[in-house]
Amino acid sequence: MTVGRDLELNELQRSQSLAEGSSFTVHPGGATAEAKRLSAGFRGATHRFIDSFRREDASHFGPDANVEFQVTGADGLPAQHGYAFGGAPGGVHVAREHRGQRYYDLQTANAKTASSLLTRELKGRHLQMIAIGGSIGTGLFVASGKTLSQGGPASMLLAYLFIGAMLYCTVQALGEMAVIFPVAGSFSAFSTRFLDPSWGFAMGWNYALQWVVVLPLEIIAGAYTIGYWNPNLNPAIFVTLFLFIIIVINLFGVKGYGEAEFVFAILKVTAVIGFILLGIVINIGGTPNGGYIGGKYWSDPGPFNNGFKGFVSVFVTAAFAFAGTELVGLAAAETANPRKSLPTAIKQVFWRISLFYIVALTLVGLLVPYNEPRLLGATHIADAAASPFVIAIESAGATVLPSVMNGVILISVISVGNSAVFGSSRTLAALADQGQAPKILAYVDRTGRPLVAILLTSLVGFLAYLSDTEIQSNIFDWLLAISGLSTIFTWASICLAHIRLRKAWAYHNRTVRDMAFKAQAGVIGSWIGLSFNIFILVMQLWVAISPIDSDAQTTAGEAAENFFIQCAAIPVVLAFYLGHKLWFKTKPIRIEDMDIDTGRRDFGRMGIIKAQEEEERQQWPAWKRVYRYMC
């Protein structure tokens, strides 16, 4: 198989210019972009502001790139596999025809995601806070009430432990791939590169749709949270306010997103730690109006509710609570030095799982019985009055603290909405770069923002105005249905892509020592993560077919509606996958054909970097070696 060598040499030169030990901000276009900024300094602030929204006109490969476009293969790849290997300048389409046959140009897609025009401005502190607090939102503070009422405290705790263990393995696998290949689109691009272009297409759109629908979901949740203080206020007022805040934050670019998440995460982490301390005091009878509680509610009404079906029914809700953890990998393409910053952020996931979820929810299960009327009376998943955190504090007789907790929930809503715009816009822009979405979505302005993708995602947020209608509960159900199982598909694809990468890595006679970061869980962890995700998917299908509250009075129409509410993501993924597969007739990428070089920033220097790091570690005391291994 022949590949355009000029393309590879050009990628090599670009990679070598990004020193691993540096922490500076990099933006493609280099001197050209700097000259534009200096020139703009002579104009007024208004002109500079308008100019920032114009398309960045630097090509993906630089103005001096001499790329030889070739579409060749030893056995006629376009016809047999539906994809081809070759290089093409940024203006050449990824999806094209060759000798009358449609095919997908995989090498060009890889090259485009590797040389994205997105700015690289995220620092280590941003990534660490995104990792620690990125998904702490209504899924933890509010939706945990649903898991408690359906399964009981023991089922809730086991489900979150189960999801947490699976996610630890998954994020470690993602970290290994994202450090080696800090490319735009991250896990959807990995599915395209290491699994099948059609599956990558499905996973990219699946992930983009997940965050697109989460945006109005979170905004509606914020509007109802305000109702805790004054239920008579029109929710549309706060929908407008939250939309404005979220859009403005994202228009400040990736640095604005990073700084906002840094502040939001600190507030959320502080609140969770405060609740843990308060929960211990409440449980041991340290409040004026309450006595010792201990494990009373584990005895009456008991640790489990609805048996085994109650246990498995809480998995998807628990997965929804953890959604957003993978954003660390998506942010790698916009990180100044992913080799240094990303491993630390990935390791932080362990602490978030163990401290913020497991400890906090253990206390929730001790303080709130699963038959608490306020849990059962929740009108929707974002009903803050049904938050077990708020109920636990109110039950202790506190007057001000429940309002403080609701304020934290409100901040979490804005934070997750902010992440929704970031996640969906970057995924849509990467899909467009790979020829898997309309080209206009690849529009990146002169400040490195995927402007059209941000605006499109923000427009979907206006669906939140439907919260003031009589059908708002149905809106919640269907928005949640689309986003619920999406994370399961994403995490399973990450694990499978990592397994395939390791096989290709070994096929090309490379060892794990050649990797910039090695997943602590290894390939075994990816197999565990993949198996757990498949188990959750099967169990969700079972619960959807035979729900907990079904009875003889349930009609066929109601049963069908419940099934699709529980499993709407499955037909969505299949439709995208089969549609792309039938159009391009792609087949799974063979191990020997996998591209494990394009997008790497460590060509020729990994041995030197590893030796320097090992020499530095030898001088650390034992406590620091243990700490740095964990964190």
Side-chain angles (χ1 to χ4, degrees):
M1 179 182 66
T2 304
V3 178
R5 299 307 303 169
D6 288 340
L7 172 65
E8 295 299 324
L9 289 173
N10 183 265
E11 286 297 306
L12 174 60
Q13 291 167 358
R14 293 174 60 82
S15 300
Q16 288 176 333
S17 69
L18 305 176
E20 291 292 342
S22 66
S23 60
F24 53 82
T25 298
V26 181
H27 185 278
T32 302
E34 182 63 24
K36 291 175 183 175
R37 284 193 289 270
L38 291 174
S39 175
F42 295 100
R43 292 177 287 177
T46 303
H47 287 177
R48 290 198 300 271
F49 176 74
I50 295 174
D51 188 66
S52 70
F53 290 95
R54 293 178 179 171
R55 182 192 290 269
E56 174 58 69
D57 57 4
S59 72
H60 284 278
F61 304 104
D64 300 323
N66 179 22
V67 182
E68 179 186 351
F69 173 54
Q70 299 180 17
V71 183
T72 58
D75 55 357
L77 286 174
Q80 294 188 21
H81 302 285
Y83 59 83
F85 295 88
V92 177
H93 295 288
V94 176
R96 300 192 296 279
E97 288 192 4
H98 180 67
R99 296 176 182 173
Q101 298 184 39
R102 287 184 296 271
Y103 71 94
Y104 185 83
D105 190 345
L106 184 60
Q107 185 68 20
T108 299
N110 294 342
K112 285 189 172 184
T113 56
S115 51
S116 170
L117 296 174
L118 300 173
T119 54
R120 298 170 185 151
E121 294 186 332
L122 288 178
K123 302 294 189 293
R125 62 185 179 89
H126 296 138
L127 283 184
Q128 289 177 37
M129 281 304 173
I130 290 172
I132 293 174
S135 64
I136 298 178
T138 53
L140 173 64
F141 291 129
V142 183
S144 56
K146 179 181 179 181
T147 64
L148 180 58
S149 64
Q150 283 188 338
S155 291
M156 177 179 70
L157 188 58
L158 289 172
Y160 276 83
L161 279 169
F162 188 95
I163 297 290
M166 176 270 293
L167 197 55
Y168 172 77
C169 298
T170 302
V171 174
Q172 285 286 323
L174 174 60
E176 180 175 297
M177 292 189 292
V179 172
I180 299 173
F181 308 104
V183 299
S186 189
F187 26 84
S188 67
F190 297 150
S191 292
T192 295
R193 179 185 288 204
F194 303 130
L195 301 179
D196 183 342
S198 295
W199 188 250
F201 174 80
M203 287 301 96
W205 278 102
N206 167 68
Y207 193 74
L209 286 177
Q210 170 194 331
W211 280 117
V212 162
V213 300
V214 162
L215 178 59
L217 189 71
E218 291 294 328
I219 293 172
I220 293 173
Y224 278 106
T225 301
I226 295 292
Y228 176 85
W229 292 287
N230 189 342
N232 297 321
L233 291 173
N234 190 334
I237 300 172
F238 301 100
V239 168
T240 303
L241 177 62
F242 299 146
L243 268 173
F244 177 78
I245 293 172
I246 291 170
I247 293 172
V248 167
I249 288 174
N250 279 274
L251 287 179
F252 275 100
V254 69
K255 194 168 185 179
Y257 165 75
E259 292 294 349
E261 283 304 299
F262 182 78
V263 174
F264 291 151
I266 288 176
L267 293 174
K268 290 187 289 185
V269 168
T270 302
V272 172
I273 294 174
F275 173 81
I276 290 172
L277 297 175
L278 178 62
I280 294 173
V281 172
I282 294 173
N283 186 261
I284 63 177
T287 58
N289 300 331
Y292 178 77
I293 299 175
K296 178 173 66 175
Y297 297 133
W298 280 61
S299 299
D300 182 22
F304 295 98
N305 188 28
N306 296 312
F308 180 72
K309 187 176 287 186
F311 169 62
V312 298
S313 68
V314 303
F315 276 121
V316 172
T317 307
F320 175 77
F322 281 107
T325 303
E326 69 286 337
L327 281 171
V328 177
L330 192 64
E334 297 177 76
T335 301
N337 188 0
R339 168 76 182 88
K340 181 179 179 181
S341 304
L342 201 56
T344 301
I346 291 296
K347 294 173 187 176
Q348 296 288 340
V349 173
F350 171 80
W351 299 107
R352 187 180 69 189
I353 292 170
S354 60
L355 178 63
F356 301 136
Y357 280 87
I358 306 307
V359 177
L361 290 174
T362 298
L363 286 167
V364 163
L366 291 172
L367 300 175
V368 182
Y370 69 72
N371 58 358
E372 163 64 45
R374 284 171 287 183
L375 290 177
L376 303 175
T379 57
H380 44 72
I381 200 170
D383 189 351
S387 166
F389 288 80
V390 174
I391 293 171
I393 297 173
E394 286 180 338
S395 300
T399 56
V400 177
L401 291 179
S403 292
V404 173
M405 197 67 217
N406 269 278
V408 173
I409 294 174
L410 196 59
I411 292 171
S412 299
V413 162
I414 298 174
S415 173
V416 177
N418 186 36
S419 295
V421 176
F422 175 82
S424 58
S425 63
R426 269 56 180 185
T427 303
L428 288 171
L431 285 170
D433 266 343
Q434 297 174 86
Q436 297 174 332
K439 287 179 62 178
I440 188 63
L441 294 174
Y443 185 105
V444 176
D445 65 21
R446 296 185 178 184
T447 58
R449 297 170 297 195
L451 191 60
V452 175
I454 289 174
L455 294 177
L456 177 63
T457 304
S458 301
L459 284 175
V460 178
F462 283 83
L463 288 175
Y465 283 107
L466 296 176
S467 64
D468 202 23
T469 66
E470 295 180 357
I471 60 171
Q472 55 87 11
S473 61
N474 289 330
I475 296 169
F476 253 103
D477 288 341
W478 286 106
L479 288 178
L480 188 60
I482 296 173
S483 64
L485 281 177
S486 296
T487 52
I488 304 300
F489 282 103
T490 297
W491 296 338
S493 296
I494 290 171
C495 293
L496 185 56
H498 179 242
I499 292 168
R500 298 273 291 167
L501 169 62
R502 282 293 190 96
K503 288 184 177 180
W505 201 259
Y507 176 84
H508 289 281
N509 299 315
R510 299 181 186 179
T511 67
V512 291
R513 287 190 58 84
D514 298 323
M515 292 181 167
F517 171 70
K518 176 186 174 183
Q520 292 176 337
V523 179
I524 294 176
S526 293
W527 279 113
I528 292 172
L530 179 62
S531 302
F532 279 12
N533 278 292
I534 293 173
F535 171 77
I536 294 170
L537 188 60
V538 172
M539 290 298 99
Q540 180 63 17
L541 285 170
W542 174 46
V543 173
I545 294 171
S546 177
I548 292 174
D549 53 358
S550 63
D551 52 40
Q553 305 298 321
T554 303
T555 66
E558 292 172 341
E561 180 181 3
N562 177 74
F563 175 83
F564 282 106
I565 286 178
Q566 298 290 330
C567 301
I570 296 177
V572 170
V573 168
L574 288 177
F576 279 116
Y577 174 67
L578 294 176
H580 192 275
K581 175 71 69 175
L582 292 172
W583 184 256
F584 287 107
K585 297 181 175 60
T586 63
K587 292 183 179 180
I589 309 297
R590 300 179 299 187
I591 295 295
E592 58 269 26
D593 291 333
M594 285 186 189
D595 179 0
I596 59 171
D597 288 320
T598 303
R600 290 178 60 192
R601 301 187 194 175
D602 55 13
F603 278 109
R605 293 174 290 114
M606 186 47 58
I608 298 173
I609 294 170
K610 290 277 189 179
Q612 290 175 341
E613 290 177 346
E614 184 62 30
E615 183 179 350
E616 183 181 352
R617 274 195 294 268
Q618 294 298 326
Q619 300 175 6
W620 290 349
W623 69 266
K624 188 173 182 179
R625 285 197 292 270
V626 174
Y627 173 78
R628 291 299 295 271
Y629 177 82
M630 299 298 296
C631 301

